[in-house]
Structure formats: structure tokens, C-alpha cells
Amino acid sequence: MCWTRHRREAAVIEGFLRQDGRKGIRNHVAVAYLVECARHVASEIVLPYREAGAQVIGFPGCFPNDYAQKMMERLCTHPNVGAVLLVSLGCESFNRFQLAEAIAKSGRPVETIVIQKAGGTRTSVAEGQAWVAARIEELSRAERVPMGLEELVVGTVCGGSDGTSGITGNPAVGLAFDRLVGEGATCIFEETGELIGCEEVMAARAATPELGRELTRSVEKAARYYATLGYGSFAAGNAEGGLSTIEEKSMGAYAKSGSARIDGLIKPGDLPPKGGLYLMDVVPDGEVRFGFPNISDNAEIAEMMASGAHLTLFVTARGSVVGSAIAPVIKICANPETYARLSEDMDVNAGRILSGSSLTEVGAEIFDLTLAVASGRKTASEQLGHAEFILTYKSFEPIGPACLPS
């Protein structure tokens, strides 16, 4: 369960090999509801098997959405997922046939329960639990195999930020990102709505001038989007914690990207083609149609997972306690007072930087913990049973060639 080093000190972790050649760091059975009306049945199916690795994901909407379809296809074929049970009410517009086909093509066991055809709640739950139990038994026999850092994808988000975030937790994650990228891993940061004011500095780090312009445009789009909404990505808790403007918050959020070259710009569900550092543009394209881009931190985590993130580094100062279905969340607390109150929910006390610990020391702790969690160590949120998940409506246009320069 521990990561090791061999061959010229290259870091090696352990994962589960999938038929498509990717490797996962967890071996979950995903029970996916395809409309809110099926969520209760999906949750009841999972309930006895939470400790064994069954987890609930899903899309609540009754009407079709290309973004949601792509997200669910990516999530149900995520490297951390070994089998999938789809739970449909029966009359929703979600294309369950396309989703099941994508899962089957990936080599994963998949089954669909249609509640209206199965006979209702009790029969659907019983049928689903029998299927999940059988898959858990099969997956329990899987053995971990060596996995190089060049096969690892790590995302980062920050939520519940305050005045300490930008001087402790976020820059410490930035140092961990620099080291991960240096060893060949893929690292993804976001959110364009919280990078306003950092466009020029960020563009200067781009692999090509064309990519730099795309990075700038993505932030400018976010600024227009939020201006139209009349509400930026700045909450009351941010102000109570000592932040004064979105630009000040952005400087702290930007710090978690580190200092490595930025190799590409992706949108939710796009898979980075190789190791390196990528910005994820999470703000929908086109006119404002679907409200606030991400209504909670878990929406951003889901988008990271849809782009292949095996785990997420989550910096919080005010004290978010959430985890995530499918992919572990490492909680990094930026504020020492918050850590003292909520230590059981946190994995790293980055707030100790304020009392003399170095950024380098905490960055190294985050790097080492990332490798340990990738090889099986449970995070605090996993131990507490946190498996939050949310997916909403959005719309995106495909990225252009300048976004992924060769």
C-alpha cells in the first residue's frame, strides 16, 4: 500500500490496470442514476456496500445535455471505476443506451436497471444490490500493479478561501505541482473565474504564444460571464476571512498552479494528451444560459475527474469538509485556527507555515501524501465516508489546436 522508489530514484506507485491501458488508484463500483427520480433507488442500492467501495454518481436533469452525456461517459469509464450499474427511471431523456455502450466498450461490467420496468423501488433495489455484491466480490480479487508518475493525473481546487490561502496552502500545492510535473505527472488547475487579474502573468508561462492568448481569452470570457450574472466567484465567507476583491482572491488561487510551463488548455471531459500542466476552463461557452458556472466545489472536482484526475488536492481555509465519489480528495488546510477546530477532516496542516514551517517542507508533505494516497492510503474524507457528487447543465464548444500545442 506504500509508494516506493526504484531505478534512478523514480517514484513508483501502485494501481489497477484497465483494458484501455490506463491505471486507477481505486477500484470502485459506480452506481449511476440518470435522473433525480432514480437517485433514491441508487442510494439504497449502495448503502450496504459503501465500505466495500460502491459509490453513487449521477445526473439529476430530465432533459438531454451533451455536456452531461460526455461527463457521465468519462466518469463511468474513469480509471478508478471497475464496474458500473446504471439506474434509470425509464422516461427521462438521458441516452442510457449510448452510456451503457461506452462503458461496455471500455471493458467494464455494466448493467442497467429501469425502475418502471423492474417493478418499482423494492425490486429495483434488490436487483441492484445483488448485482453490486457480485461485482464487489470480483473486484476484490484484483491485484495492484506498478504505476509510474507519468500515468498519474492530479487536479487541484480551492474552496472556502480566506486571507491565509494565498500564503500557505495554495503556494504549498504549487510546489507539489512543480515536483509532480517535473517527474512526468499530469496536473490540472482551475478555475478561470478565480484567475481574473492574473491573465498576463499566466499567459507568460504558456508553452506557445498562441496558447498564451487562449489562456487570456478563457479568463476574459469568465469575467464577461460573471459580469452578466451580476455576481462573481467571491462569497461572503471570503470577505469575512479577510479577502477584499476578486483580484486578491485570484492571486491566491493562481499560486496553486506552481511555476511550471503551462502545456495546454482543456475543458471538462477533455483528456490531457501527455504529462504536464493544464488549465481547465470551467466557464460555459456562449450566452449565459445555465446560471452560476459551478454551484459548489464538488462540481469542479467532478469536472477534474471527467478529465482523468485520479485525485484532487483541495485547499481550504474556512473549513470545507467534503470529499468526492470515485476519486480521493486530499484536504489541505491553509488556516491554523481552522485546522485546530477541524483536524479530523484535514490531511495537511499548511497553516503551520505561519508559525515557522517552510513552504518547501509542506509542499514535500503534500507530494509524499499524494503518492501514498495513490497507492491506497485513505484520506480523511474517505475515512469519514464523504462521497459527495454533483453534476449540472453546461454547454461547451470544442477546444482549438492552439489549446494543445504539440
Side-chain angles (χ1 to χ4, degrees):
M1 298 288 284
C2 297
W3 64 273
T4 59
R5 288 182 178 273
H6 74 145
R7 290 191 200 174
R8 292 186 241 168
E9 293 299 304
V12 174
I13 51 185
E14 295 179 335
F16 298 97
L17 180 62
R18 307 300 178 196
Q19 285 192 18
D20 63 4
R22 294 192 295 170
K23 295 170 185 173
I25 65 171
R26 295 292 185 269
N27 210 12
H28 291 305
V29 175
V31 178
Y33 61 90
L34 305 183
V35 66
E36 181 65 23
C37 310
R39 182 200 285 260
H40 175 74
V41 170
S43 298
E44 289 295 300
I45 289 170
V46 163
L47 193 57
Y49 307 107
R50 284 176 54 191
E51 296 297 322
Q55 294 190 343
V56 177
I57 63 173
F59 178 60
C62 193
F63 303 102
N65 179 253
D66 289 341
Y67 160 81
Q69 185 79 35
K70 179 179 181 179
M71 289 284 287
M72 288 296 288
E73 290 180 15
R74 291 291 196 217
L75 291 163
C76 288
T77 58
H78 188 280
N80 291 354
V81 173
V84 184
L85 176 64
L86 304 180
V87 184
S88 163
L89 176 62
C91 56
E92 71 275 359
S93 297
F94 196 98
N95 191 336
R96 64 178 184 267
F97 307 102
Q98 179 179 320
L99 178 56
E101 182 181 5
I103 298 166
K105 284 183 178 179
S106 77
R108 291 166 174 78
V110 58
E111 184 62 71
T112 303
I113 292 176
V114 181
I115 298 169
Q116 291 169 347
K117 294 181 179 179
T121 297
R122 286 191 175 90
T123 53
S124 298
V125 170
E127 182 182 338
Q129 287 181 348
W131 192 89
V132 168
R135 301 295 83 71
I136 287 175
E137 172 61 27
E138 293 170 358
L139 294 176
S140 69
R141 296 193 290 269
E143 295 184 359
R144 286 181 177 267
V145 299
M147 178 177 172
L149 254 68
E150 71 279 1
E151 300 175 279
L152 184 67
V153 184
V154 181
T156 187
V157 302
C158 53
S161 300
D162 72 9
T164 67
S165 299
I167 56 178
T168 63
N170 285 335
V173 166
L175 290 180
F177 256 34
D178 287 345
R179 189 168 171 188
L180 286 163
V181 169
E183 296 210 24
T186 301
C187 291
I188 307 170
F189 72 105
E190 49 73 64
E191 155 193 359
T192 47
E194 294 180 2
L195 293 172
I196 295 169
C198 300
E199 305 95 313
E200 293 183 7
V201 177
M202 183 167 61
R205 292 169 56 195
T208 65
E210 293 78 15
L211 173 60
R213 287 190 284 272
E214 293 291 340
L215 298 175
T216 299
R217 278 193 282 267
S218 72
V219 178
E220 291 173 344
K221 178 186 69 171
R224 290 193 301 271
Y225 199 98
Y226 285 114
T228 302
L229 285 174
Y231 192 89
S233 183
F234 192 90
N238 299 142
E240 290 173 4
L243 294 172
S244 62
T245 61
I246 185 60
E247 289 83 4
E248 186 176 23
K249 183 179 181 182
S250 294
M251 287 189 290
Y254 175 70
K256 67 183 184 292
S257 69
S259 59
R261 183 185 70 182
I262 299 174
D263 294 298
L265 172 70
I266 61 174
K267 297 179 182 180
D270 293 333
L271 300 179
K274 59 182 180 179
L277 180 64
Y278 297 82
L279 170 66
M280 177 177 284
D281 178 4
V282 300
V283 175
D285 293 320
E287 62 184 85
V288 177
R289 291 191 291 161
F290 300 115
F292 203 72
N294 278 327
I295 62 175
S296 71
D297 296 315
N298 280 93
E300 298 166 2
I301 293 172
E303 291 177 330
M304 292 282 181
M305 294 189 298
S307 289
H310 291 95
L311 59 86
T312 299
L313 306 178
F314 187 159
V315 181
T316 182
R318 301 284 291 177
S320 177
V321 301
V322 300
S324 174
I326 298 180
V329 171
I330 295 176
K331 208 69 66 51
I332 298 148
C333 190
N335 189 315
E337 295 180 357
T338 301
Y339 184 84
R341 290 193 305 271
L342 300 174
S343 59
E344 71 170 357
D345 286 279
M346 303 299 160
D347 297 289
V348 177
N349 178 15
R352 70 181 193 271
I353 292 169
L354 297 179
S355 58
S357 295
S358 69
L359 275 170
T360 302
E361 176 187 340
V362 177
E365 179 183 348
I366 295 169
F367 175 86
D368 289 343
L369 183 57
T370 297
L371 270 56
V373 168
S375 280
R377 181 190 297 183
K378 285 192 174 184
T379 65
S381 60
E382 287 182 292
Q383 294 173 34
L384 292 167
H386 282 284
E388 289 84 356
F389 182 87
I390 189 168
L391 182 60
T392 59
Y393 285 94
K394 283 189 178 183
S395 179
F396 287 99
E397 299 170 1
I399 58 173
C403 295
L404 293 175
S406 58

